[in-house]
């Protein structure tokens, strides 16, 4: 493991993987913040101490809460594959410059995707950032498969 941590590509991967995982983890508290400030809860136990009339008002969906929640769901669908494929990619010994390009583009695309989703920026900003992140993951997957299949 110590040898692996001396590898510049692996260090870059762990750095950018940690960044996007932390970003994804922060979406949970952000969803909770939006639920609290917008007064929109999805579970009965979240409003159990309220009156019956208050419960009716609070057990509802809110567009801004749903926007943050969907952004979090999108992170789960994209960051988990990036981490798995990125680890395999890092193990194929790519050039550091190519690896950094992949990792930085993905991290930037995911951060921008969240800003575009939560901030309701006009399309195609969110769509393009999603596509960019997916292309990076597919590019790394191609490198992994082409390396493994050529052995």
């Amino acid at each position: 493991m110590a040898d692996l941590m001396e590898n510049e590509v692996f260090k870059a991967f762990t750095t950018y993987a940690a960044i996007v995982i932390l970003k994804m983890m922060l979406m949970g508290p952000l969803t909770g913040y939006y639920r609290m400030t917008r007064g929109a809860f999805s579970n009965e136990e979240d409003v159990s101490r309220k009156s019956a009339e208050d419960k009716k008002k609070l057990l509802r969906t809110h567009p801004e809460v749903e926007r943050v929640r969907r952004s979090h769901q999108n992170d789960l669908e994209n960051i988990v594959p990036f981490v798995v494929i990125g680890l395999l990619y890092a193990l194929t010994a790519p050039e550091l410059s190519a690896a950094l390009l992949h990792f930085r583009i993905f991290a930037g695309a995911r951060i921008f995707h969240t800003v575009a989703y939560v901030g309701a920026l006009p399309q195609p900003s969110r769509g393009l950032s999603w596509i960019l992140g997916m292309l990076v993951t597919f590019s790394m997957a191609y490198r992994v498969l082409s390396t493994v299949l050529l052995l």
Side-chain angles (χ1 to χ4, degrees), residues 4 11 19 32-34 36 47-48 59 61 91 93-94 149:
L4 198 53
K11 284 197 293 190
I19 289 168
Y33 170 78
Y34 270 74
M36 295 294 290
V47 295
S48 61
L59 286 173
T61 60
L91 295 174
L149 294 177

Side-chain angles (χ1 to χ4, degrees), residues 11 19 21 55 60 73 76 81 85 90 92 98-99 116 129 140 145:
K11 284 197 293 190
I19 289 168
I21 289 169
K55 284 182 185 182
R60 64 189 179 94
Q73 179 67 37
L76 292 167
I85 295 292
T92 67
S129 62
M140 292 187 306
L145 291 173

Side-chain angles (χ1 to χ4, degrees), residues 1 5 14-15 17 28-29 36 43 47 55 59 80 86 125 135:
M1 185 68 154
M5 288 309 291
T14 58
T15 299
M36 295 294 290
N43 300 305
V47 295
K55 284 182 185 182
L59 286 173
V80 172
S125 58
L135 288 174

